[in-house]
Amino acid sequence: MRYVDTHGEVSERRIVCRAVEGYGQAETIAAYCCERKASRRFRIDRIEELICLQTGEVIDPLPHFEQMRLHGALKVIDKSMSDFGRILVFMSQCDGSIHPLEIDAVHEGMERYVLRFGGDDAVLGAALKNIGKIAPDGDDLVAALGRISRHPEARQVSRLILNCMDKVTIADGALHLDELEWTALAREYLEKHAG
């Protein structure tokens, strides 16, 4: 590929693409750079030319990587889906225990995210499988809330988080002081973006 970096310098690189990343759409690729002999991330909008070394075909980068994202040719990392899950899991854990009904509410929220912002059964299955392995803390919550504001549909994502966050915190039938405090903090931030 021919790539233009942040300083406007053009380089030609041979890469092996490993993942497509973005906020609900293909924005960056994680790849192994044969010239640097290291893993790198490349913004798709900075790829001037992309050529398949096996066939010689010239490829339009954005549609190519978007198709890979949609059809699962590569590992897909939807950054806002990950942050959405972090927020819901944190809210389910912030009172010191996790009730099965809270887990159900987290899973329902993830399903709603996929239905609204894209994904398929494989993406949802991977998210639900991995969601139980995370233990976000308050710093993770604050960072996730900040990143959500960069989603192309930040207003809609914020509204969905507000709705799902409420369902998670009341799922076990009890409200703990920590849940109330963290919910208030998250609500204040999200309402700025939800409009």
Side-chain angles (χ1 to χ4, degrees):
M1 74 173 174
R2 186 169 40 246
Y3 188 75
V4 180
D5 68 15
T6 56
H7 304 292
E9 294 184 27
V10 178
S11 62
E12 291 187 1
R13 299 169 182 239
R14 291 171 297 135
I15 62 167
V16 178
C17 189
R18 297 212 168 119
V20 178
E21 303 172 340
Y23 292 98
Q25 64 185 7
E27 294 177 348
T28 60
I29 58 171
Y32 179 80
C33 176
C34 297
E35 278 63 45
R36 301 282 194 263
K37 297 188 180 355
S39 294
R40 295 281 192 264
R41 282 195 167 53
F42 301 99
R43 282 185 35 185
I44 296 169
D45 63 345
R46 290 193 179 152
I47 300 173
E48 284 190 338
E49 185 175 51
L50 184 65
I51 299 172
C52 176
L53 292 178
Q54 293 174 332
T55 66
E57 177 186 8
V58 177
I59 301 167
D60 190 356
L62 185 56
H64 176 72
F65 291 116
E66 184 62 15
Q67 285 299 310
M68 292 179 126
R69 183 187 77 81
L70 292 173
H71 300 293
L74 291 173
K75 177 175 156 185
V76 175
I77 301 166
D78 183 333
K79 296 174 184 181
S80 54
M81 178 190 240
S82 300
D83 286 330
F84 186 89
R86 275 186 197 91
I87 292 165
L88 296 185
V89 169
F90 176 82
M91 297 311 293
S92 73
Q93 298 174 349
C94 69
D95 63 356
S97 65
I98 303 173
H99 191 277
L101 292 174
E102 290 174 321
I103 294 169
D104 291 345
V106 169
H107 286 204
E108 180 186 327
M110 296 302 290
E111 290 169 1
R112 290 178 65 192
Y113 179 92
V114 168
L115 286 172
R116 174 63 181 88
F117 298 103
D120 55 22
D121 290 340
V123 170
L124 178 61
L128 294 179
K129 178 181 175 187
N130 292 318
I131 205 86
K133 298 177 184 176
I134 63 172
D137 61 16
D139 291 336
D140 295 324
L141 173 73
V142 171
L145 289 169
R147 288 188 297 267
I148 287 293
S149 67
R150 294 190 291 272
H151 190 284
E153 299 178 75
R155 175 177 284 173
Q156 292 84 357
V157 174
S158 295
R159 286 181 184 154
L160 182 59
I161 291 171
L162 284 166
N163 183 273
C164 293
M165 188 176 66
D166 289 343
K167 289 184 178 197
V168 169
T169 56
I170 64 169
D172 63 356
L175 283 174
H176 190 273
L177 182 60
D178 286 341
E179 287 176 317
L180 293 172
E181 290 174 357
W182 284 109
T183 299
L185 177 132
R187 180 170 300 287
E188 180 183 340
Y189 183 84
L190 290 167
E191 285 177 348
K192 290 178 188 174
H193 296 284

